[in-house]
Amino acid sequence: MDHPSDFESFKNEIKAALQNNDQALAAAKIQQYLDQENKIPLNIAITGETGSGKSSFVNAFRGMENGDEGAAPTGCVETTLEVTPYPHPNFPNVTLWDLPGIGSTSFPADEYLEHVGFEKFDFFIIISDTRFRENDVKLAREIQRMKKKFYFVRSKIDHNIRDAERSQRKNFNLERTLAQIRENCIQGLQKQGVESPQVFLVSNFELHLYDFHQLEETLERDLPAHKRNALLFAMPNVSLEIINKKKKAFQAQIKYIALGSAAVAAVPLPGLSVVVDVALLVDAVTQYVVGFGLDSWSVQRLADTTHVPLKDLTDIIVSPLALTKNNP
C-alpha cells in the first residue's frame, strides 16, 4: 500500500468501525494503518560521472561513513559497475540506489535509463564534483522525458572552500566563493540547454553545511504527500529544521496511537489493553529514538564526528529506551 487513496480508505474503515462500536476491528485497522505508513517505499537513484562522489553521498545520506560495514564502496576509480541497492539501516523502506556512472557504460542516455530500471525510482540525484558535463545533461533530459524528477548536486564543496582559502588568504569570502561555484554550475548547464537549473552545493563529510537542507526541502516539496514522511524520517539529523519536522510528523501519529489504545481498552478481554498499550508505547518510542538518532550507534557516531565525549552525550539522554543497540 503506497498510494494516498489507500490511506484515505484506511481512515474511512477506521471511522466506520468506530461508528459501529466495533472496537476490535477499529484497533486492528489502526495498527495496520500505522504499520503500513511506516513501510511506504522510497527509491532514490544516485548517478553521475566516475569519481564524482556518488557512493560517499549514499553513505552520508544513510548516516554512515565510508568503510563502515554495509557502506557503499568508494574510490578514485569507478567502483559501481552494476545498479546496487543500499537500504537505510534504520528505515529499510528507504533505499538509495548507487548507479554506474553513465560515462562508464556503453549505453546512450535513453538505453542507460532502461538498463538501470528507471521506473522504480521516485527521483534521481545527478552528482558532479566539478562542472556538469554533456553526459549529465543528456541524462537529465532523458529523465525529464520519462516524466521523473531530477536534481543536480555539486559535491566535494569542502575541497573547493579549502583550496579557495589557501589561494585567496585574506581576501577569502565564503559566501562569495559559494555563490561563484553555484553560478558557474548554473551557467554551464544553461549553455547546454537546461532551463532554470537548480544546483545544490553539498559536502558529503559536512552535510550540515551549505545546501543540504535546501535539497531536503526541495525533495520533500516535490514528493507526493504520502511519501514525505518516508524521506523525512530517513534524513540525517543535520539541522534543527529537520529535527523539528520529524517532531511534528511523529506528533501527527500520536492521535492514531491514542485512538488505537482507546479502541482496545473498550474490548472486553481482561489484560488485553495493558498488553497492547505497552506494545504501542514501545513501538512508538523506539521509532522516536531511532528517528532522532538516540540509539547507541547513532550517539557513538555523533560523539566521533563532534569530538564530544560519549559520556557527555549519554548523560543528557533520559529515555530508558534510548541507547539501545541498533547496528546498521
Side-chain angles (χ1 to χ4, degrees):
M1 182 189 71
D2 62 353
H3 193 277
S5 61
D6 295 326
F7 284 95
E8 289 304 317
S9 176
F10 252 119
K11 292 176 183 178
N12 290 335
E13 290 174 0
I14 293 169
K15 182 178 179 181
L18 290 172
Q19 289 175 340
N20 293 328
N21 289 322
D22 191 343
Q23 285 83 7
L25 177 60
K29 287 293 180 182
I30 290 167
Q31 186 61 59
Q32 191 177 0
Y33 171 80
L34 291 170
D35 290 342
Q36 291 293 335
E37 190 179 44
N38 293 327
K39 294 178 181 177
I40 296 175
L42 182 66
N43 293 289
I44 305 170
I46 311 297
T47 187
E49 293 279 359
T50 300
S52 61
K54 296 185 282 89
S55 298
S56 291
F57 183 88
V58 168
N59 294 334
F61 191 102
R62 297 161 67 227
M64 306 180 78
E65 290 186 357
N66 298 339
D68 282 350
E69 183 179 353
T74 59
C76 297
V77 297
E78 179 62 47
T79 55
T80 306
L81 300 178
E82 296 293 337
V83 179
T84 308
Y86 290 97
H88 193 283
N90 296 331
F91 300 93
N93 56 309
V94 177
T95 303
L96 279 78
W97 297 77
D98 196 357
L99 308 188
I102 188 170
S104 66
T105 71
S106 59
F107 298 100
D110 56 342
E111 294 180 18
Y112 173 88
L113 286 178
E114 293 288 348
H115 173 67
V116 300
F118 79 94
E119 68 282 346
K120 66 173 166 283
F121 303 121
D122 290 285
F123 57 85
F124 291 75
I125 293 178
I126 303 173
I127 296 181
S128 176
D129 63 336
T130 54
R131 61 183 179 84
F132 291 93
R133 298 177 174 85
E134 183 180 3
N135 277 336
D136 299 319
V137 173
K138 286 181 179 179
L139 184 58
R141 287 174 178 164
E142 197 61 29
I143 294 170
Q144 191 170 41
R145 190 179 73 81
M146 299 288 193
K147 301 189 184 303
K148 295 279 187 176
K149 293 282 188 178
F150 63 89
Y151 307 89
F152 291 109
V153 166
R154 172 61 162 77
S155 65
K156 303 184 182 179
I157 294 301
D158 48 327
H159 295 182
N160 300 115
I161 296 302
R162 186 168 58 248
D163 291 344
E165 283 182 303
R166 288 174 178 172
S167 62
Q168 298 173 19
R169 298 188 179 181
K170 292 183 179 180
N171 294 324
F172 172 75
N173 180 278
L174 176 60
E175 293 304 320
R176 182 177 65 240
T177 301
L178 292 173
Q180 288 173 346
I181 296 171
R182 189 181 292 107
E183 187 59 28
N184 286 341
C185 289
I186 290 172
Q187 287 182 0
L189 288 166
Q190 288 175 334
K191 286 179 181 178
Q192 297 184 72
V194 181
E195 295 183 6
S196 304
Q198 276 188 294
V199 176
F200 301 92
L201 311 185
V202 171
S203 164
N204 293 330
F205 300 100
E206 297 176 300
L207 286 184
H208 61 289
L209 301 177
Y210 316 122
D211 293 344
F212 185 79
H213 176 59
Q214 287 83 351
L215 174 63
E216 181 274 328
E217 286 187 328
T218 303
L219 298 178
E220 185 181 359
R221 183 175 62 247
D222 289 351
L223 276 172
H226 69 293
K227 291 208 172 194
R228 290 172 188 163
N229 277 358
L231 173 75
L232 178 61
F233 293 155
M235 276 283 169
N237 297 303
V238 295
S239 72
L240 184 59
E241 291 86 354
I242 290 175
I243 292 172
N244 283 333
K245 285 182 181 180
K246 288 187 180 185
K247 177 182 174 182
K248 290 180 181 179
F250 282 130
Q251 284 177 332
Q253 291 184 344
I254 289 176
K255 63 181 178 182
Y256 291 103
I257 296 170
L259 193 59
S261 176
V264 170
V267 179
L269 290 176
L272 176 63
S273 62
V274 174
V275 172
V276 174
D277 279 349
V278 171
L280 284 172
L281 178 63
V282 170
D283 184 59
V285 174
T286 300
Q287 284 190 50
Y288 305 157
V289 166
V290 172
F292 291 120
L294 298 177
D295 56 282
S296 59
W297 181 82
S298 298
V299 174
Q300 181 64 64
R301 176 53 47 80
L302 180 62
D304 293 340
T305 56
T306 60
H307 306 293
V308 175
L310 178 62
K311 187 177 185 304
D312 290 355
L313 294 176
T314 57
D315 283 349
I316 61 174
I317 298 176
V318 296
S319 171
L321 292 178
L323 300 177
T324 56
K325 288 189 176 181
N326 187 43
N327 297 322

Coordinates of all heavy atoms in Angstrom, one line a residue, residues 7-77:
F7 N -4.6 5.2 1.9 CA -4.6 5.7 3.3 C -6.0 6.3 3.6 O -6.5 6.2 4.7 CB -3.5 6.7 3.5 CG -2.2 6.0 3.6 CD1 -1.3 5.9 2.6 CD2 -1.8 5.6 4.9 CE1 -0.1 5.2 2.7 CE2 -0.6 4.9 5.0 CZ 0.3 4.8 3.9
E8 N -6.6 7.0 2.6 CA -7.9 7.5 2.8 C -8.9 6.4 3.1 O -9.8 6.5 3.9 CB -8.4 8.4 1.6 CG -7.6 9.7 1.5 CD -7.7 10.6 2.7 OE1 -8.8 10.7 3.3 OE2 -6.7 11.1 3.1
S9 N -8.8 5.3 2.4 CA -9.6 4.2 2.6 C -9.5 3.6 4.0 O -10.4 3.2 4.6 CB -9.3 3.1 1.5 OG -10.0 1.9 1.8
F10 N -8.2 3.5 4.4 CA -7.9 3.0 5.8 C -8.7 3.9 6.8 O -9.3 3.4 7.7 CB -6.4 3.1 6.1 CG -5.8 1.7 6.1 CD1 -4.8 1.3 5.2 CD2 -6.2 0.8 7.1 CE1 -4.3 0.1 5.3 CE2 -5.7 -0.5 7.1 CZ -4.7 -0.8 6.2
K11 N -8.5 5.2 6.6 CA -9.1 6.2 7.6 C -10.7 6.0 7.6 O -11.3 6.1 8.7 CB -8.7 7.6 7.2 CG -7.3 7.9 7.5 CD -6.9 9.3 7.0 CE -5.4 9.6 7.2 NZ -5.0 10.9 6.7
N12 N -11.2 5.8 6.4 CA -12.7 5.6 6.4 C -13.1 4.3 7.0 O -14.2 4.2 7.7 CB -13.1 5.6 4.9 CG -13.0 7.0 4.2 OD1 -13.1 8.0 4.9 ND2 -12.9 7.0 2.9
E13 N -12.3 3.3 6.9 CA -12.6 2.0 7.5 C -12.5 2.1 9.1 O -13.3 1.5 9.8 CB -11.6 0.9 7.0 CG -11.9 0.5 5.6 CD -10.8 -0.5 5.1 OE1 -9.9 -0.8 5.9 OE2 -10.9 -0.9 3.9
I14 N -11.5 2.9 9.5 CA -11.4 3.1 11.0 C -12.6 3.8 11.5 O -13.2 3.5 12.5 CB -10.1 3.9 11.3 CG1 -8.8 3.0 10.9 CG2 -10.0 4.3 12.7 CD1 -7.5 3.8 10.9
K15 N -13.0 4.9 10.8 CA -14.1 5.7 11.2 C -15.4 4.8 11.2 O -16.2 4.9 12.2 CB -14.3 6.9 10.2 CG -15.4 7.8 10.6 CD -15.5 9.0 9.6 CE -16.6 9.9 9.9 NZ -16.7 11.0 8.9
A16 N -15.6 4.0 10.2 CA -16.8 3.2 10.1 C -16.8 2.2 11.3 O -17.9 1.9 11.9 CB -16.8 2.5 8.8
A17 N -15.7 1.6 11.6 CA -15.6 0.6 12.7 C -15.9 1.2 14.0 O -16.6 0.7 14.9 CB -14.2 0.0 12.7
L18 N -15.4 2.5 14.2 CA -15.7 3.2 15.5 C -17.2 3.5 15.6 O -17.8 3.4 16.7 CB -14.8 4.4 15.6 CG -13.3 4.1 15.8 CD1 -12.5 5.4 15.7 CD2 -13.1 3.5 17.2
Q19 N -17.8 4.0 14.5 CA -19.2 4.3 14.4 C -20.1 3.1 14.7 O -21.2 3.3 15.3 CB -19.5 5.0 13.1 CG -18.9 6.4 12.9 CD -19.2 7.0 11.5 OE1 -19.5 6.2 10.6 NE2 -19.1 8.3 11.4
N20 N -19.6 1.9 14.3 CA -20.4 0.7 14.6 C -20.0 0.0 15.9 O -20.5 -1.1 16.1 CB -20.1 -0.3 13.4 CG -20.7 0.2 12.1 OD1 -21.7 0.9 12.1 ND2 -20.0 -0.2 11.0
N21 N -19.2 0.8 16.7 CA -18.8 0.2 18.0 C -18.1 -1.1 17.9 O -18.1 -1.9 18.8 CB -20.0 0.1 18.9 CG -20.6 1.4 19.4 OD1 -19.8 2.3 19.7 ND2 -21.9 1.5 19.5
D22 N -17.4 -1.3 16.8 CA -16.6 -2.5 16.6 C -15.1 -2.1 17.0 O -14.3 -1.9 16.1 CB -16.7 -3.0 15.2 CG -16.1 -4.4 15.0 OD1 -15.3 -4.8 15.9 OD2 -16.4 -5.0 14.0
Q23 N -14.9 -2.0 18.3 CA -13.6 -1.6 18.7 C -12.4 -2.5 18.3 O -11.3 -2.0 18.0 CB -13.6 -1.4 20.3 CG -14.3 -0.2 20.8 CD -15.8 -0.4 20.9 OE1 -16.3 -1.6 20.7 NE2 -16.6 0.6 21.2
A24 N -12.7 -3.8 18.3 CA -11.6 -4.7 17.9 C -11.2 -4.5 16.5 O -10.0 -4.5 16.2 CB -12.1 -6.2 18.1
L25 N -12.2 -4.3 15.6 CA -11.8 -4.1 14.2 C -11.1 -2.7 14.0 O -10.2 -2.6 13.3 CB -13.1 -4.1 13.3 CG -12.9 -3.7 11.8 CD1 -12.0 -4.7 11.2 CD2 -14.3 -3.7 11.1
A26 N -11.6 -1.7 14.8 CA -11.0 -0.4 14.7 C -9.5 -0.4 15.2 O -8.7 0.1 14.5 CB -11.8 0.6 15.6
A27 N -9.3 -1.1 16.3 CA -7.9 -1.3 16.8 C -7.0 -2.0 15.8 O -5.9 -1.6 15.5 CB -7.9 -2.0 18.1
A28 N -7.6 -3.0 15.1 CA -6.8 -3.8 14.1 C -6.5 -2.9 12.9 O -5.3 -2.9 12.4 CB -7.5 -5.0 13.7
K29 N -7.4 -2.1 12.5 CA -7.2 -1.2 11.3 C -6.3 -0.1 11.7 O -5.4 0.3 10.8 CB -8.6 -0.6 10.9 CG -9.5 -1.6 10.2 CD -8.9 -2.0 8.9 CE -9.8 -3.0 8.1 NZ -9.2 -3.5 6.8
I30 N -6.3 0.4 12.9 CA -5.4 1.5 13.3 C -4.0 1.0 13.3 O -3.0 1.6 12.8 CB -5.8 2.1 14.7 CG1 -7.1 2.8 14.6 CG2 -4.7 2.9 15.2 CD1 -7.7 3.2 15.9
Q31 N -3.8 -0.2 13.9 CA -2.4 -0.8 13.9 C -1.9 -1.1 12.5 O -0.8 -0.9 12.2 CB -2.4 -2.1 14.7 CG -1.1 -2.7 14.9 CD -0.1 -1.8 15.7 OE1 -0.4 -1.4 16.8 NE2 1.0 -1.4 15.1
Q32 N -2.8 -1.6 11.6 CA -2.5 -1.8 10.2 C -2.1 -0.6 9.5 O -1.1 -0.5 8.8 CB -3.6 -2.5 9.5 CG -3.2 -3.1 8.1 CD -4.4 -3.8 7.5 OE1 -5.5 -3.9 8.0 NE2 -4.2 -4.3 6.3
Y33 N -2.8 0.5 9.8 CA -2.5 1.8 9.2 C -1.2 2.3 9.6 O -0.4 2.7 8.8 CB -3.6 2.8 9.6 CG -3.3 4.2 9.3 CD1 -3.5 4.7 8.0 CD2 -2.8 5.1 10.2 CE1 -3.2 6.0 7.6 CE2 -2.5 6.4 9.9 CZ -2.7 6.9 8.6 OH -2.4 8.2 8.2
L34 N -0.9 2.2 10.9 CA 0.4 2.7 11.4 C 1.6 1.8 10.8 O 2.6 2.4 10.4 CB 0.5 2.6 12.9 CG -0.4 3.6 13.7 CD1 -0.5 3.3 15.2 CD2 0.1 5.0 13.5
D35 N 1.4 0.5 10.8 CA 2.4 -0.4 10.2 C 2.7 0.0 8.7 O 3.8 0.0 8.3 CB 2.0 -1.8 10.3 CG 2.0 -2.3 11.8 OD1 2.6 -1.6 12.6 OD2 1.4 -3.3 12.1
Q36 N 1.6 0.1 8.0 CA 1.7 0.4 6.5 C 2.3 1.7 6.3 O 3.1 1.9 5.3 CB 0.4 0.3 5.8 CG -0.2 -1.1 5.8 CD 0.7 -2.1 4.9 OE1 1.3 -1.6 4.0 NE2 0.6 -3.4 5.2
E37 N 2.0 2.7 7.1 CA 2.5 4.1 6.9 C 4.1 4.1 7.0 O 4.8 4.9 6.4 CB 1.9 5.1 7.9 CG 2.3 6.5 7.5 CD 1.6 7.5 8.4 OE1 1.7 7.3 9.7 OE2 1.1 8.5 8.0
N38 N 4.5 3.2 7.9 CA 6.0 3.1 8.1 C 6.7 2.2 7.1 O 7.9 2.1 7.2 CB 6.3 2.6 9.6 CG 5.8 3.6 10.6 OD1 5.9 4.8 10.4 ND2 5.4 3.2 11.7
K39 N 6.0 1.7 6.2 CA 6.6 0.8 5.2 C 6.5 1.3 3.8 O 6.7 0.6 2.8 CB 5.9 -0.6 5.3 CG 6.2 -1.3 6.6 CD 5.5 -2.7 6.6 CE 5.7 -3.4 7.9 NZ 5.0 -4.7 8.0
I40 N 6.1 2.6 3.6 CA 5.9 3.2 2.3 C 7.3 3.2 1.6 O 8.3 3.7 2.2 CB 5.4 4.6 2.4 CG1 4.0 4.6 2.9 CG2 5.4 5.3 1.0 CD1 3.4 6.0 3.2
P41 N 7.4 2.6 0.4 CA 8.8 2.5 -0.2 C 9.2 3.9 -0.8 O 8.3 4.6 -1.4 CB 8.6 1.5 -1.3 CG 7.1 1.5 -1.6 CD 6.4 1.9 -0.3
L42 N 10.4 4.2 -0.7 CA 11.0 5.3 -1.4 C 12.3 4.9 -2.0 O 13.2 4.4 -1.3 CB 11.2 6.5 -0.3 CG 11.8 7.8 -0.9 CD1 10.7 8.4 -1.9 CD2 12.1 8.8 0.2
N43 N 12.4 5.1 -3.3 CA 13.6 4.6 -4.0 C 14.3 5.8 -4.7 O 13.7 6.5 -5.5 CB 13.2 3.6 -5.1 CG 12.8 2.3 -4.4 OD1 13.6 1.5 -3.9 ND2 11.5 2.0 -4.5
I44 N 15.5 6.1 -4.3 CA 16.3 7.2 -4.7 C 17.5 6.8 -5.5 O 18.3 6.0 -5.1 CB 16.8 8.0 -3.5 CG1 15.6 8.4 -2.6 CG2 17.5 9.3 -3.9 CD1 16.1 9.0 -1.2
A45 N 17.6 7.3 -6.8 CA 18.7 6.9 -7.7 C 19.8 8.0 -7.6 O 19.5 9.2 -7.7 CB 18.2 6.8 -9.1
I46 N 21.0 7.5 -7.4 CA 22.2 8.4 -7.3 C 23.1 8.1 -8.5 O 23.5 7.0 -8.6 CB 22.9 8.2 -6.0 CG1 22.0 8.2 -4.8 CG2 24.0 9.2 -5.9 CD1 21.3 9.5 -4.6
T47 N 23.3 9.1 -9.3 CA 24.1 8.8 -10.5 C 25.0 10.0 -10.8 O 24.9 11.0 -10.1 CB 23.2 8.5 -11.7 OG1 24.0 8.1 -12.9 CG2 22.4 9.8 -12.1
G48 N 25.9 9.8 -11.7 CA 26.9 10.9 -12.1 C 28.1 10.2 -12.7 O 28.2 9.0 -12.8
E49 N 29.1 11.1 -13.0 CA 30.3 10.6 -13.7 C 31.2 9.8 -12.7 O 31.0 10.0 -11.5 CB 31.1 11.8 -14.3 CG 30.4 12.5 -15.4 CD 30.6 11.8 -16.7 OE1 31.3 10.7 -16.7 OE2 30.1 12.2 -17.8
T50 N 32.1 9.1 -13.2 CA 33.1 8.3 -12.4 C 33.8 9.3 -11.4 O 34.3 10.3 -11.9 CB 34.1 7.6 -13.3 OG1 33.4 6.7 -14.1 CG2 35.1 6.9 -12.4
G51 N 33.9 8.9 -10.2 CA 34.7 9.7 -9.2 C 34.0 11.0 -8.7 O 34.6 11.8 -8.0
S52 N 32.7 11.1 -9.0 CA 32.0 12.3 -8.6 C 31.6 12.4 -7.1 O 31.2 13.4 -6.6 CB 30.8 12.6 -9.5 OG 29.9 11.5 -9.3
G53 N 31.7 11.2 -6.4 CA 31.3 11.2 -5.0 C 29.9 10.6 -4.8 O 29.3 10.8 -3.8
K54 N 29.4 9.8 -5.8 CA 28.1 9.1 -5.6 C 28.0 8.2 -4.4 O 27.1 8.4 -3.6 CB 27.8 8.3 -6.9 CG 27.7 9.0 -8.2 CD 27.2 8.1 -9.3 CE 28.4 7.3 -9.8 NZ 28.6 6.0 -9.3
S55 N 29.0 7.4 -4.3 CA 29.0 6.4 -3.2 C 29.1 7.1 -1.8 O 28.5 6.7 -0.8 CB 30.1 5.3 -3.4 OG 29.9 4.6 -4.6
S56 N 29.9 8.1 -1.8 CA 30.1 8.8 -0.5 C 28.8 9.5 -0.1 O 28.4 9.6 1.1 CB 31.2 9.9 -0.6 OG 32.5 9.2 -0.7
F57 N 28.1 10.0 -1.1 CA 26.8 10.7 -0.9 C 25.8 9.6 -0.3 O 25.0 9.9 0.6 CB 26.2 11.3 -2.1 CG 24.9 12.1 -1.9 CD1 24.9 13.4 -1.5 CD2 23.7 11.4 -2.1 CE1 23.7 14.1 -1.3 CE2 22.5 12.1 -2.0 CZ 22.5 13.4 -1.6
V58 N 25.8 8.4 -1.0 CA 24.9 7.4 -0.5 C 25.2 7.1 1.0 O 24.2 6.9 1.8 CB 25.1 6.1 -1.3 CG1 24.4 4.9 -0.7 CG2 24.6 6.3 -2.8
N59 N 26.4 7.0 1.3 CA 26.8 6.7 2.7 C 26.4 7.8 3.7 O 25.9 7.6 4.8 CB 28.3 6.4 2.8 CG 28.7 5.2 2.1 OD1 27.9 4.3 1.9 ND2 30.0 5.1 1.6
A60 N 26.7 9.1 3.3 CA 26.4 10.2 4.1 C 24.9 10.3 4.4 O 24.4 10.6 5.5 CB 26.9 11.5 3.5
F61 N 24.1 10.1 3.4 CA 22.6 10.2 3.5 C 22.1 9.2 4.5 O 21.2 9.4 5.2 CB 22.0 10.0 2.1 CG 20.5 10.3 2.1 CD1 20.1 11.5 1.5 CD2 19.6 9.5 2.6 CE1 18.7 11.8 1.4 CE2 18.2 9.8 2.5 CZ 17.8 11.0 1.9
R62 N 22.8 8.0 4.5 CA 22.3 6.9 5.4 C 23.0 7.0 6.7 O 22.9 6.1 7.6 CB 22.7 5.6 4.7 CG 21.9 5.3 3.4 CD 22.6 4.3 2.6 NE 22.5 3.0 3.2 CZ 23.6 2.1 3.3 NH1 24.8 2.5 2.9 NH2 23.4 1.0 3.9
G63 N 23.7 8.1 7.0 CA 24.3 8.3 8.3 C 25.5 7.4 8.5 O 25.9 7.1 9.7
M64 N 26.2 7.0 7.5 CA 27.3 6.1 7.6 C 28.6 6.7 7.1 O 28.5 7.7 6.3 CB 27.0 4.8 6.8 CG 25.7 4.1 7.1 SD 25.4 2.6 6.2 CE 26.5 1.5 7.0
E65 N 29.7 6.2 7.5 CA 31.0 6.7 7.0 C 31.5 5.7 6.0 O 31.2 4.5 6.0 CB 32.0 6.8 8.1 CG 31.7 8.0 9.1 CD 32.7 8.2 10.1 OE1 33.7 7.4 10.1 OE2 32.6 9.2 10.9
N66 N 32.3 6.2 5.0 CA 33.0 5.3 4.1 C 33.8 4.3 4.8 O 34.6 4.6 5.7 CB 33.9 6.1 3.1 CG 33.1 7.1 2.3 OD1 31.9 7.0 2.1 ND2 33.8 8.2 1.8
G67 N 33.7 3.0 4.5 CA 34.4 2.0 5.2 C 33.6 1.3 6.2 O 34.0 0.2 6.7
D68 N 32.5 1.8 6.7 CA 31.6 1.1 7.6 C 31.1 -0.2 7.0 O 30.9 -0.3 5.8 CB 30.4 2.0 8.0 CG 30.8 3.1 9.0 OD1 31.9 3.0 9.6 OD2 30.0 3.9 9.3
E69 N 30.8 -1.1 7.8 CA 30.1 -2.3 7.3 C 28.8 -2.0 6.7 O 28.0 -1.3 7.3 CB 30.0 -3.3 8.5 CG 29.4 -4.7 8.0 CD 29.2 -5.7 9.2 OE1 29.7 -5.3 10.3 OE2 28.6 -6.7 9.0
G70 N 28.6 -2.4 5.5 CA 27.3 -2.1 4.8 C 27.4 -0.8 4.0 O 26.4 -0.5 3.3
A71 N 28.5 -0.1 4.1 CA 28.6 1.2 3.3 C 28.9 0.9 1.9 O 29.4 -0.2 1.5 CB 29.7 2.0 3.9
A72 N 28.5 1.8 1.0 CA 28.9 1.7 -0.4 C 30.4 1.9 -0.6 O 31.0 2.8 0.0 CB 28.1 2.7 -1.2
P73 N 31.0 1.0 -1.4 CA 32.5 1.2 -1.6 C 32.8 2.4 -2.3 O 32.1 2.9 -3.2 CB 32.8 -0.1 -2.4 CG 31.6 -0.5 -3.1 CD 30.5 -0.1 -2.1
T74 N 33.9 3.1 -2.0 CA 34.3 4.3 -2.6 C 35.7 4.2 -3.1 O 36.5 3.3 -2.7 CB 34.2 5.5 -1.6 OG1 35.1 5.2 -0.5 CG2 32.8 5.7 -1.0
G75 N 36.1 5.1 -4.0 CA 37.4 5.1 -4.6 C 37.6 6.1 -5.7 O 36.6 6.7 -6.1
C76 N 38.8 6.3 -6.2 CA 39.0 7.3 -7.2 C 38.6 6.7 -8.6 O 38.5 7.5 -9.6 CB 40.5 7.6 -7.2 SG 41.1 8.4 -5.7
V77 N 38.5 5.4 -8.7 CA 38.0 4.9 -10.0 C 36.6 4.4 -9.8 O 36.0 4.4 -8.7 CB 38.9 3.7 -10.4 CG1 40.3 4.1 -10.6 CG2 38.8 2.6 -9.3

